[in-house]
Amino acid sequence: MKRKTLTQFLIEQQRKEEALPAQLRLLIEIVARACKAISHTINKGALGGNLGSLDSENVQGEVQKKLDVLANEFLIDANEWGGHLAAMASEEMDTIHRIPNRYPKGEYLLVYDPIDGSSNIDVDLSVGTIFSVLEAPADASGREIREEDFLQPGTRQVAAGYAIYGPQTLLILTVGTGVYEFTLDREMGSWVLSDERLRVPETSAEFAINMSNQRHWDAPMQRYVDECLAGKTGPRGKDFNMRWTASMVADIHRILKRGGIFMYPWDKRKPDVPGKLRLMYEANPMGFLMEQAGGVATTGYARILDVQPEKLHQRVSVIMGSREEVETVAAYHREASEST
Ligand code: P6P
């Protein structure tokens, strides 16, 4: 049977689900095309002369990889002219990027991490591009877009997804009607539908966390992981496996495909910072995908998609994946807050 391309799939979604306006379809096609260019550049490795770091830091204070900046430029160049965006925001840019006056403006806001996990690029581990799409506020059409126009909770996303640059190059997408996987056919240069119903198994015995931070977590987090490590004879009554690739896209993709729980919790070394990962372009898009696939995404105390952003680059504690496991962690956080 001939597989559908991304274009065919989106046109069918547009017909079937009125929720897919033409400008949103164009946005997704353009972001997908930019991810192809990013994949092509990454795959060149050392031969492309783009490995290694720049002597610059991004707004997060992280050393920028050459490919971080290049991928960010790919996404800006691909999207600026299309007339579908009102503005863009990126992990790699301090402030929002408004569409230049020489181009028409659209009704969407694109928030993205051009390359997540970029510290893995130089050692050839999977990395990815994460994106989230919001609608510009209705009153914004007659004025300049402001940063606060982006500060919408994750429930307001109209689309989200990621590209993962690994043994295969995949695009994982939701427009609110489930989670779909497209595989890049390099010979044809097209994204081909390879899985149209990603579902996260309700239960799992696989957890993902950076164990080297264990002594810095709060009590509920310690309790959950201790019980995972206690295995069959412990309170959970089953042995667990552990995976940590230090690339959110790779860990989340594994969980979307076979279940598990991903955790990047609060850490007492930075008590005023809720977590390492960013709300707008990591936790929210991944949380939308996780929920659309039947999983759960929480800060430990609240649904991630309900968090009201106060700053563009704000961080959040992230616990997401198989329902049974995430709900166990959330229950331990509730018990801890009720006992204080
Ligand atoms: P650590 C990559 O830098 C990232 O933002 C996520 O992709 C990943 O899950 C996490 O940080 C890894 O953090 O502290 O284990 O290196």
Side-chain angles (χ1 to χ4, degrees), residues 62 91 113 115-120 126-128 130 209-213 244-252 262-264 269 276-278 282 315:
E62 293 166 345
E91 181 195 44
D113 182 356
I115 296 196
D116 175 70
S118 53
S119 58
N120 286 319
S126 297
V127 295
I130 310 174
I209 196 166
N210 182 336
M211 285 298 291
S212 68
N213 299 328
W244 187 250
T245 62
S247 180
M248 185 184 197
V249 172
D251 283 318
I252 294 298
F262 174 92
M263 299 165 279
Y264 213 110
R269 290 171 294 185
K276 172 181 182 182
L277 302 181
R278 277 67 58 156
E282 289 174 334
R315 298 172 190 264

Side-chain angles (χ1 to χ4, degrees), residues 37 53-54 67 154 206 265 269 329:
S53 301
L54 299 167
L67 281 167
E206 193 163 67
R269 290 171 294 185
V329 177

Side-chain angles (χ1 to χ4, degrees), residues 153-227:
T155 47
R156 300 288 296 277
Q157 294 174 98
V158 292
Y162 58 84
I164 178 167
Y165 312 115
Q168 307 113 43
T169 290
L170 304 176
L171 176 73
I172 306 300
L173 171 70
T174 185
V175 291
T177 59
V179 180
Y180 308 91
E181 174 194 277
F182 299 86
T183 299
L184 180 60
D185 174 344
R186 291 188 184 283
E187 289 158 15
M188 300 300 290
S190 50
W191 293 101
V192 178
L193 186 62
S194 44
D195 188 342
E196 57 184 305
R197 188 169 158 71
L198 271 70
R199 297 296 295 171
V200 182
E202 294 262 328
T203 61
S204 173
E206 193 163 67
F207 69 95
I209 196 166
N210 182 336
M211 285 298 291
S212 68
N213 299 328
Q214 186 173 22
R215 60 191 182 285
H216 305 305
W217 302 330
D218 62 16
M221 209 65 244
Q222 301 265 5
R223 175 182 173 190
Y224 174 74
V225 173
D226 287 349
E227 290 182 359

